[in-house]
């Protein structure tokens, strides 16, 4: 193992020549149980954050970073995602006949945005298994993974920040954020070695440790740049925390052979898998809309003053 690590020290030795990352995987097969009953008959990825379904924010981040092909890993009952990014001729005709040009343009832009591909994860066997479903789509290229529960707001998309690190090290990069010690049980946590401001070499990583076992407070959030080596490790990974195949466990094994880096991204993350954060994200995006800002602030003052 050690021998391989030293062989890969220089980016020039990399097996994936320097090029832009153009493929991404968005796992979206989860049942959304934390959002019941809202998600009983609709995918949680389609819940709107102000005026767009949550998954659209993530797809837009990928597009802004130059990603051209996205594989959405879906499951039963997720057709609304495909419909949303597909053309809707009937709706377009209707908007056209009513002269609603802006709405028509918005609707068309959604379907023209990017090449979307879909694969079904037949059983809910965890994030690692969902990523493994992307093996043939990814082929022999580095790729990005976006978790739809994490919406990150920053002028420089979080995934582009990770790409900068990839360009230098040609190795997997994970987005991390400092989280409260009491919350380590909800995250993959890294054991970091500081390289420079915001950049760490990952010495180890562990999925959802208790606060006493956590090697740091740096939690992995939903942006990863991975190399296809991960698939071999995922294939060998047994169910871990919650009886699921964990991406963190496969990364842990990969990290023993190849270096993995972590970037503490700039930007505000909304964990929309959590009801309170979901509401906060909706408010944050509504407040960005100039026409909604003042009336919304007045309304908030009104309902909080009584
Ligand atoms: C997943 C990952 C975990 C990561 C988290 C980020 O957990 O397994 O390592 O820290 O996403 O949101 P989940 O939130 O699906 O339980």
């Amino acid at each position: 193992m050690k021998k391989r690590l030293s062989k890969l020290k220089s980016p020039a030795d990399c097996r994936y020549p320097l090029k832009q990352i153009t493929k991404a995987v968005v796992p979206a097969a989860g049942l959304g149980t934390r959002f019941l009953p809202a998600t009983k008959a609709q995918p949680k990825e389609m819940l709107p954050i102000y005026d767009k379904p949550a998954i659209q924010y993530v797809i837009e981040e990928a597009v802004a970073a130059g990603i051209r092909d996205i594989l959405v890993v879906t499951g039963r009952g997720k057709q609304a995602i495909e419909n949303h990014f597909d053309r809707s001729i009937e709706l377009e005709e209707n908007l056209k006949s009513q002269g609603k040009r802006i709405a028509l343009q918005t609707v068309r832009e959604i379907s023209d945005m990017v090449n979307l591909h879909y694969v079904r994860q037949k059983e809910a066997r965890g994030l690692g298994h969902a990523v493994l479903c992307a093996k043939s789509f990814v082929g022999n290229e580095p790729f990005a993974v976006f978790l739809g529960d994490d919406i990150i707001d920053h002028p420089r998309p979080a995934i582009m920040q990770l790409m900068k690190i990839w360009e230098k090290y040609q190795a997997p990069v994970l987005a991390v954020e400092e989280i409260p010690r009491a919350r380590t049980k909800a995250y993959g946590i890294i054991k970091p070695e500081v390289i420079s401001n915001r950049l760490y070499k990952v010495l180890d990583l562990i999925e959802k440790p208790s606060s006493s076992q956590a090697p740091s407070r740096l939690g992995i959030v939903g942006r990863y740049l991975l190399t296809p080596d991960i698939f071999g490790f995922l294939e060998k990974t047994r169910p871990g925390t919650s009886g699921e195949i964990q991406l963190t466990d496969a990364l842990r094994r990969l990290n023993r052979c190849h270096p993995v880096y972590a970037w503490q991204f700039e930007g505000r993350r909304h964990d929309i898998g959590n009801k309170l954060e979901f509401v906060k994200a909706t408010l944050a995006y509504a407040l960005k809309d100039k026409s909604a800002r003042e009336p919304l602030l007045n309304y908030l003052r009104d309902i909080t003053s009584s």
Side-chain angles (χ1 to χ4, degrees):
M1 296 283 198
K2 266 186 187 145
K3 250 187 183 168
R4 267 176 98 183
L5 179 64
S6 59
K7 260 193 205 160
L8 279 164
K9 258 196 290 195
S10 144
D13 293 337
C14 185
R15 296 141 299 148
Y16 310 104
L18 238 187
K19 65 174 179 174
Q20 205 190 347
I21 293 174
T22 61
K23 287 183 178 172
V25 178
V26 180
L31 297 174
T33 47
R34 281 188 288 180
F35 262 99
L36 283 169
T39 49
K40 186 172 173 228
Q42 65 173 331
K44 69 170 175 175
E45 294 79 10
M46 290 302 294
L47 294 178
I49 306 288
Y50 189 43
D51 58 356
K52 278 186 268 189
I55 193 168
Q56 193 174 327
Y57 288 86
V58 165
I59 302 285
E60 286 177 357
E61 182 186 330
V63 172
I67 302 275
R68 293 286 159 258
D69 285 279
I70 300 177
L71 179 75
V72 184
V73 184
T74 65
R76 213 171 286 280
K78 300 281 182 167
Q79 294 86 339
I81 299 178
E82 289 189 44
N83 293 341
H84 180 71
F85 291 102
D86 197 1
R87 293 229 20 211
S88 174
I89 305 296
E90 199 185 318
L91 177 62
E92 286 182 25
E93 285 304 325
N94 183 294
L95 295 171
K96 208 163 153 187
S97 67
Q98 293 189 48
K100 295 187 172 167
R101 280 192 307 114
I102 295 177
L104 178 63
Q105 194 187 337
T106 308
V107 162
R108 281 205 179 135
E109 274 169 9
I110 295 170
S111 52
D112 291 344
M113 210 179 278
V114 68
N115 299 320
L116 280 169
H117 311 258
Y118 299 91
V119 66
R120 277 239 192 168
Q121 184 184 17
K122 295 187 186 83
E123 293 168 78
R125 293 178 63 197
L127 175 60
H129 182 256
V131 172
L132 187 52
C133 293
K135 186 179 172 186
S136 58
F137 164 81
V138 165
N140 196 32
E141 291 184 34
F143 64 105
V145 174
F146 291 76
L147 303 189
D149 276 353
D150 289 321
I151 294 183
I152 303 175
D153 191 15
H154 193 267
R156 202 157 65 95
I159 203 73
M160 274 174 98
Q161 300 177 31
L162 264 56
M163 284 172 174
K164 220 49 220 148
I165 310 302
W166 162 265
E167 279 169 23
K168 182 160 182 203
Y169 294 95
Q170 301 274 299
V173 193
L174 320 176
V176 292
E177 178 174 71
E178 219 166 74
I179 51 141
R181 194 156 272 282
R183 297 270 301 142
T184 57
K185 261 226 149 305
Y187 292 86
I189 305 289
I190 65 159
K191 181 177 180 188
E193 178 189 301
V194 179
I195 295 185
S196 57
N197 187 25
R198 294 184 177 272
L199 179 63
Y200 306 91
K201 187 160 190 298
V202 176
L203 300 180
D204 198 3
L205 59 167
I206 168 164
E207 181 68 5
K208 302 193 170 74
S210 64
S211 56
S212 59
Q213 284 173 327
S216 76
R217 283 176 45 212
L218 289 170
I220 302 168
V221 304
R223 302 291 181 272
Y224 305 74
L225 287 184
L226 301 176
T227 49
D229 320 53
I230 193 67
F231 296 118
F233 291 95
L234 281 169
E235 277 162 348
K236 289 189 206 109
T237 300
R238 301 237 168 123
T241 314
S242 349
E244 296 183 339
I245 296 174
Q246 299 292 348
L247 180 58
T248 305
D249 293 344
L251 277 165
R252 185 177 205 194
R253 297 172 85 180
L254 181 142
N255 189 38
R256 290 181 190 144
C257 313
H258 310 300
V260 173
Y261 294 87
W263 174 251
Q264 196 173 347
F265 60 90
E266 291 177 81
R268 180 184 287 274
R269 175 179 71 117
H270 301 282
D271 171 10
I272 56 153
N274 157 327
K275 285 181 197 173
L276 177 61
E277 286 298 316
F278 180 88
V279 174
K280 285 192 202 166
T282 306
L283 279 177
Y285 281 96
L287 288 169
K288 278 165 166 272
D289 177 347
K290 285 194 191 110
S291 66
R293 189 176 171 84
E294 274 313 307
L296 182 56
L297 285 173
N298 289 338
Y299 174 71
L300 289 173
R301 273 181 218 115
D302 188 26
I303 59 170
T304 49
S305 64
S306 52

